[in-house]
Amino acid sequence: MANVSPTRGDITAHPDVSEMRDRYARMLGGRDVALVDGPVFLLGLYCAVSPWILHYTTSQPALVTHNLIMGIAIGLLALGFTRAPERMYGLSWAFCAMGVWMIIAPWIVGDSPDAGVVVNNIIIGALAVCLGLLCAGTAAKSTPRP
């Protein structure tokens, strides 16, 4: 009679254990960056609504439009990081560039912005650069080397 009792064995002796580990690692890909996706999305959301939170919609109409568009772009980038990480984490450097642009945008796009608007954009830009570098570093660490 065959032994059909449910016993748990050690799979280290399995002949395909190395292939299974490799497949599992490929399946996970760069998902150790998943904890960054949420803060990136929240940063984009805040960037999009910050003109209404800080009440500079009438004094800086060009900067309102700029922050709304940049916030939507950052949010879409975060959704892309979540949806297709293996293809999107190459854009982490573009996210860093968006952060640098957010830092200098008040003087280029705005019309003599006050200190609150400037500090807001500097904080958003600095957080975008930091999160972009974190995404890029973790993605570079998790990509397989030939």
Side-chain angles (χ1 to χ4, degrees), residues 6-26:
T7 59
R8 294 188 180 250
D10 187 18
I11 72 162
T12 56
H14 193 279
D16 296 330
V17 71
S18 62
E19 180 186 343
M20 289 187 297
R21 284 186 180 144
D22 290 341
R23 187 173 352 142
Y24 182 70
R26 276 194 319 271

Side-chain angles (χ1 to χ4, degrees), residues 30-45:
R31 292 314 299 155
D32 45 346
V33 191
L35 295 177
V36 181
D37 299 347
V40 170
F41 183 76
L42 291 176
L43 182 69
L45 182 65

